[in-house]
Amino acid sequence: MFKANQCTLDACVADITTLDVDVIVNAANTSLGGGGVDGAIHRAAGKALLRECEMLGGCATGDAKITGGYALPAKHVIYAVGPVWRGGAHGEADLLASCYQRSLEVAREADCASIAFPAISCGVYHFPADDAVWIAVATVLDTLPRTPHIARVIFACFDDAMFERYQTELKRRQALPSKPL
Ligand code: AR6
């Protein structure tokens, strides 16, 4: 666990659809439909979620939109569209960082205090996992000072290897000399 002023950051191995938080983030695509985390979220939330998604009109890569959580334990779902990995010279790092930043901003606007992220772009979009984890943690820490009532951030990992990456990165950050947020 990492404590940054008002907020705790944690990693866990979990199916993100089971987490009882204010909002879970979906690793979406621009048309807001698909498999992976997205498929799991739609299966758990029920058909009403799909109807609300259809009214959102898609979402740009690097941006985030929000719906209700319907049958999920989470009150809301945020759709963050990560970049497809195309070698790293196509703005992928900035677009991935933007997903985390925009998700926290959208969560703040919806008065969410707790948020769980999957490893956006690390599945079928093939972003290198070590880099993605570094970007996720760094961007969340950079954004939190502007989203002060977010008190809990969870990085929900689908497997032990991803969990180890987040644990290592959170521990490394915790060991750095503290910088006021
Ligand atoms: N809970 C937590 N993590 C999960 C879950 C789950 N239930 N299911 C998968 N993961 P992906 P992307 C992990 O492919 O790479 C979708 O079809 C998974 O192991 O879902 O951003 C969308 O609709 C991986 O580490 O997202 C888009 O078309 C991470 O979540 C496209 O895939 C992200 O895997 C987005 O690709």
Side-chain angles (χ1 to χ4, degrees):
M1 198 224 292
F2 183 105
K3 236 176 150 19
N5 287 7
Q6 85 287 355
C7 189
T8 61
L9 282 73
D10 255 326
C12 65
V13 178
D15 174 350
I16 201 166
T17 64
T18 65
L19 297 180
D20 188 5
V21 287
D22 289 336
V23 61
I24 60 171
V25 177
N26 185 350
N29 61 23
T30 52
S31 58
L32 302 180
V37 188
D38 184 75
I41 288 174
H42 278 281
R43 280 193 297 279
K47 286 211 168 66
L49 179 66
L50 193 59
R51 285 194 285 277
E52 191 178 353
C53 282
E54 283 164 0
M55 292 191 297
L56 290 177
C59 184
T61 304
D63 202 359
K65 292 190 176 178
I66 192 166
T67 66
Y70 298 91
L72 292 164
K75 296 186 190 76
H76 301 278
V77 179
I78 286 175
Y79 305 80
V81 183
V84 177
W85 180 257
R86 292 195 288 145
H90 296 84
E92 292 96 325
D94 288 346
L95 288 166
L96 185 62
S98 176
C99 287
Y100 287 93
Q101 182 188 322
R102 287 291 302 131
S103 295
L104 289 172
E105 289 167 356
V106 169
R108 177 203 57 199
E109 285 158 19
D111 283 329
C112 296
S114 52
I115 181 167
F117 286 100
I120 300 168
S121 284
C122 291
V124 302
Y125 283 0
H126 293 297
F127 204 105
D130 287 334
D131 294 345
V133 166
W134 186 91
I135 289 167
V137 173
T139 308
V140 167
L141 288 172
D142 282 350
T143 308
L144 282 173
R146 299 196 300 283
T147 58
H149 61 270
I150 294 183
R152 183 150 192 231
V153 175
I154 298 169
F155 296 105
C157 306
F158 216 34
D159 56 59
D160 291 341
M162 190 61 80
F163 173 71
E164 284 307 322
R165 288 187 184 94
Y166 273 102
Q167 283 289 81
T168 303
E169 181 57 14
L170 290 169
K171 280 187 189 143
R172 190 187 72 78
R173 288 275 175 170
Q174 192 78 77
L176 292 176
S178 64
K179 175 179 112 183
L181 286 171

